[in-house]
Amino acid sequence: MSHSHTTRVQQFIGDPVSDNPPVDREELKEIFKDIQSDIRYDHELNGCLNCGICTATCPAAHYYDFSPREIVQLLWTENLEGIYDAMQEKIWACAQCYTCAARCPFGNSPGGLIMLMRETAIKHGMESAKNVLRPFSRVMLKLISTGNQLSPDMITADGFADWGPNVSKIDAPLDVLRKAIPLPTLHTTKTAWEVNLKTSVELYTIWEETGVLDQLETIDENLFDVILDIMDEKREDLEDWNDEQDD
Ligand code: SF4
Ligand code: SF4
């Protein structure tokens, strides 16, 4: 007589309320391998007592259905389905404050491990990563193209409705206010400070060499194209400037 067996190891993992196709076990293994093979992994996971000190001190755990203890346990027990499941939503609740790392008796860094899981989610183009990063496309554009995260002209009441009514006070004549700052490099509104052309181009090399641009292409191809155009333009400007100096 034959019996059907159910084991803890599932062949596929799917989301019953989504149209996305189930993910097969090979991909789950690949995702875990990417997390585990990062050079930081062995420094950030030394074992886990399941004591819950990290969760007790975690600010995000107070507000969300999220527990660093649970995430660390998933990694420590190599629960591939659970790891993939946590990467759909839970890992994005972490505020990266690293209180957990300061308190863990094993010297683990749950926040650091979560960062590795986030980077892997981006590398694999997971929908969760795209959804989380989509509202930040303007910030990413500014950061990658200029090295500045927020610029004065982005701080408007419209852009930051959740900052409350006082944000309108800096909706004043911004260019005049900025010119009142003693440092000339801060007399800008489109960037937080004036970025030297050569510095910008050097920054682009760093983005390329460290794989930041590859990651961006995976999660937002349109933004990637826009940034590539900006980079080409700035590189040409620098070449022209260098030619002028030679003449
Ligand atoms: S504090 Fe450290 S040992 Fe305790 S549950 Fe968290 S990660 Fe595990
Ligand atoms: S780094 Fe993340 S997991 Fe750790 S305490 Fe802060 S919010 Fe919680």
Side-chain angles (χ1 to χ4, degrees), residues 29-47:
K29 281 185 190 164
E30 190 63 32
I31 287 169
F32 181 58
K33 198 170 119 232
D34 280 342
I35 299 168
Q36 201 182 27
S37 61
D38 191 285
I39 196 168
R40 293 164 287 180
Y41 189 82
D42 286 342
H43 295 281
E44 292 173 345
L45 181 56
N46 304 301

Side-chain angles (χ1 to χ4, degrees), residues 93-139:
C94 169
Q96 293 289 301
C97 68
Y98 292 94
T99 309
C100 51
R103 299 289 170 86
C104 173
F106 252 64
N108 295 332
S109 173
L113 292 165
I114 288 165
M115 179 58 85
L116 297 182
M117 294 167 85
R118 288 178 172 182
E119 289 174 12
T120 305
I122 292 169
K123 181 180 170 193
H124 285 260
M126 283 188 180
E127 278 307 305
S128 67
K130 291 181 185 174
N131 290 341
V132 165
L133 293 172
R134 195 165 291 125
F136 296 100
S137 56
R138 206 172 156 216
V139 173

